[in-house]
Every structure is written in C-alpha cells, then in structure tokens.
Amino acid sequence: MLDIFQKAKQNNYAIGAFNASNLEQLKAIVQAAQNLKSPIIISTSQGESNFIGKKQVKALVDIWRQETGLDIILHLDHGKSLEVIKEAIEAGYDSVHFDGSKMPFEENLAITKQVVVLARAKGINNVEGEIGYLRGGSSLREAVEVKQEDLTDPVQADKFIKETEVDSLAIAIGNIHGMNKDQNLENPHLFLDHLEKINEQIGNKAFLVLHGASGTPEQDIKKAIALGIVKVNINTELRLAYTQSLKKSLADNPQVITPYKLMPSVVKAVQAVVEEKIKLFGSDNS
Ligand code: 13P
C-alpha cells in the first residue's frame, strides 16, 4: 500500500478513496478503475461497513482484485474506537483510519499509538491518523465556513506523526465533509498556504490525506495534489449520483420490480463520477 502512495507522490498524482456500502457502488468503483487502469481505495465508514459486512466486503474486494489484477485497497474510514479497528483488522482490511480528531490531542495520540501497534502486528502497513477539526458529514447541508482555528497545527502534526508512527495523516486545510444544499455553491477554497506550512514541518514523515473532497473546487484539488496530497476521499458526490439516478430509474420504470433491471443506470451514474475523479486526481494509467 505504501508503495502505491510513494509512486503517486513521486509522479504527482493521488489515489481516490471512494466510499461504498453496497454492491452497485462497489461495481461502479471497480469498473471505473478497470476502464482507466487506476489503483483505487475502497473505503467503508463504520455505518457503511456495518451495513455491507466487513468480511463480506473483504471477500468481494478479493474476488475483484483477482479478476482485474488491479491494486484495490480495502480501507476502514473514520474508525472511532479500538473495537471497530480490531473488527476491520480481523476481517482482513488492508488499511485503517483511526479518527480521534474530536478527542483531546493527548487522548487521540494515545489511542492512535495503540492502533498502530495492533495494525503492525497483523501486517497492515497503512494506519491513517487525523488531527484538526473537519466539519460536516457526507450529506447535503447548509454552507459551512471554515475557521483558522479548525486547521491542522503543523507543529502538532509533526509531534503526532513522530510519536504515533502513523503512515498517513488526514489534515484539515479548509476541507469539509459534504456538499452545500444549494448546489450552485462550491465548498470553500482550500488553504493551500497552510498545506505548505504542514509540508515544511513534517517533510516526508507521513503521507497526507485530503478528506471531504466532494464539491471542492477542482483547481484547489489539483494544487493540493501538486503539493503532496496522495489520497483524496470522495463520498457525498457518489451518494448523490446514486440516489438521484435511483429515483429517476424508479420514476421512469413504474412497472418494473426487477432490481437488476433498475440498477444498471445507477451503476453507470456512480461510475461516471468515479471516472471523472480518477482523471482529476491523475491516477489513470498509473
Ligand atoms: P465527502 O463526503 O465530502 O466527499 O468526504 C468523504 C470523506 O472524506 C470520507 O472520509
């Protein structure tokens, strides 16, 4: 996994981490990666992984990995307790994110350290930690203003990486989860100068991750990748494509009750978003 990040960093692209909780979303993500010959990360949050089942998603990913020969990484997104991290590790996830960002710094640091020890014992070589205050959830919400005090403190980030030995770090640089209900409004611009400050402080000690990328201005994402972001997380835009196309499919075919006849247009809509993001992140043909 870390080889994939290293290669991405050297070649100035990022790997997309796409959230999924059911078979149609997984199909869409894998087909997009296959079409564009791209490595991908499939992320499941606590809720998503509880819905699909951790062992079940692991089995599906294994089959697709064998069939496609692609680098497909299964990642736990925003694990909030040691228990959920343990469950993911036991199920065979390749990579885990412990999100203690809402905890006091010292508590986040102490639990993240334990996560690293647990993960290493099972041969997992990507533990993602998080510091800084990331607002919102992966849904449509009112516009949010990001405050300077929400941003990841570069000195704290450096201490956190050194003491926990995480491989990657989710940072707050103006990014927020979710998108504005008023879809004419983009999310706020990223604080790219702040990303430069984090880079100066931490050097190559950890890979940097951008959460909450749905609805973020594309030019900002490109610049953040040029400044060393190697993993970009997308969820809300996929959820939106899924539900909008499902509603349309149901409305257009009121007599149809056969799920596999209603779902192809949904898979296609989600796949189109994933393909667009893979091209934006520059991981196609890599
Ligand atoms: P968005 O829902 O804003 O795309 O964020 C996804 C994310 O960061 C998952 O961890």
Side-chain angles (χ1 to χ4, degrees):
M1 163 122 211
L2 296 181
D3 292 348
I4 296 175
F5 283 163
Q6 196 57 49
K7 193 172 161 204
K9 194 158 179 181
Q10 274 161 5
N11 295 285
N12 278 310
Y13 63 85
I15 316 290
F18 301 104
N19 285 73
S21 61
N22 70 14
L23 188 66
E24 289 80 28
Q25 290 172 299
L26 289 168
K27 257 172 107 90
I29 297 165
V30 174
Q31 284 172 189
Q34 223 176 345
N35 269 353
L36 296 175
K37 300 185 181 60
S38 171
I40 38 158
I41 298 168
I42 290 178
S43 289
T44 66
S45 65
Q46 289 189 182
E48 288 161 343
S49 54
N50 287 342
F51 180 75
I52 191 166
K54 293 185 183 67
K55 291 180 187 151
Q56 286 77 359
V57 69
K58 156 76 176 154
L60 286 166
V61 166
D62 279 347
I63 293 166
W64 269 309
R65 206 183 273 145
Q66 283 162 21
E67 266 183 18
T68 62
L70 290 171
D71 284 321
I72 307 177
I73 309 294
L74 180 60
H75 174 77
L76 179 77
D77 188 35
H78 294 284
K80 300 256 172 69
S81 67
L82 269 180
E83 281 59 45
V84 73
I85 297 277
K86 278 183 199 160
E87 283 169 21
I89 293 175
E90 289 307 321
Y93 275 53
D94 306 298
S95 166
V96 290
H97 168 213
F98 175 70
D99 176 6
S101 61
K102 307 243 173 359
M103 296 172 176
F105 179 73
E106 291 302 332
E107 191 183 345
N108 184 9
L109 192 122
I111 302 178
T112 307
K113 265 187 191 174
Q114 293 181 54
V115 171
V116 172
V117 172
L118 269 177
R120 294 282 184 270
K122 296 284 181 180
I124 289 179
N125 68 5
N126 181 47
V127 175
E128 181 178 320
E130 176 161 348
I131 52 171
Y133 182 38
L134 218 76
R135 290 164 190 272
S138 291
S139 58
L140 299 180
R141 44 145 181 74
E142 300 303 331
V144 174
E145 195 193 330
V146 180
K147 304 205 174 98
Q148 191 72 29
E149 66 254 32
D150 298 341
L151 307 186
T152 301
D153 177 336
V155 175
Q156 227 180 30
D158 195 49
K159 178 177 157 77
F160 186 84
I161 296 165
K162 278 192 203 143
E163 295 196 16
T164 60
E165 300 184 6
V166 287
D167 309 285
S168 49
L169 186 69
I171 51 171
I173 51 166
N175 42 322
I176 42 178
H177 286 120
M179 286 162 71
N180 297 319
K181 275 188 191 152
D182 177 352
Q183 286 174 39
N184 296 316
L185 292 177
E186 281 187 313
N187 276 344
H189 279 277
L190 298 178
F191 292 71
L192 294 160
D193 52 339
H194 197 81
L195 174 55
E196 286 184 272
K197 283 184 200 148
I198 295 173
N199 270 332
E200 276 162 29
Q201 187 71 42
I202 70 161
N204 284 324
K205 290 190 201 94
F207 295 105
L208 295 179
V209 176
L210 185 71
H211 278 246
S214 289
T216 301
E218 291 196 351
Q219 282 313 314
D220 285 22
I221 292 185
K222 280 191 177 170
K223 285 178 194 157
I225 293 171
L227 289 170
I229 292 281
V230 296
K231 172 174 176 272
V232 182
N233 291 11
I234 297 281
N235 195 355
T236 309
E237 286 191 50
L238 305 183
R239 289 180 171 182
L240 193 60
Y242 185 99
T243 44
Q244 281 181 340
S245 55
L246 180 57
K247 282 178 195 162
K248 183 171 186 322
S249 182
L250 290 167
D252 290 350
N253 304 284
Q255 305 304 327
V256 178
I257 63 156
T258 311
Y260 73 80
K261 292 186 178 164
L262 289 165
M263 299 316 284
S265 59
V266 177
V267 173
K268 214 169 147 195
V270 176
Q271 185 175 334
V273 177
V274 177
E275 289 186 5
E276 182 193 303
K277 297 300 173 190
I278 288 176
K279 289 185 197 152
L280 174 68
F281 306 157
S283 67
D284 43 328
N285 297 308
S286 62

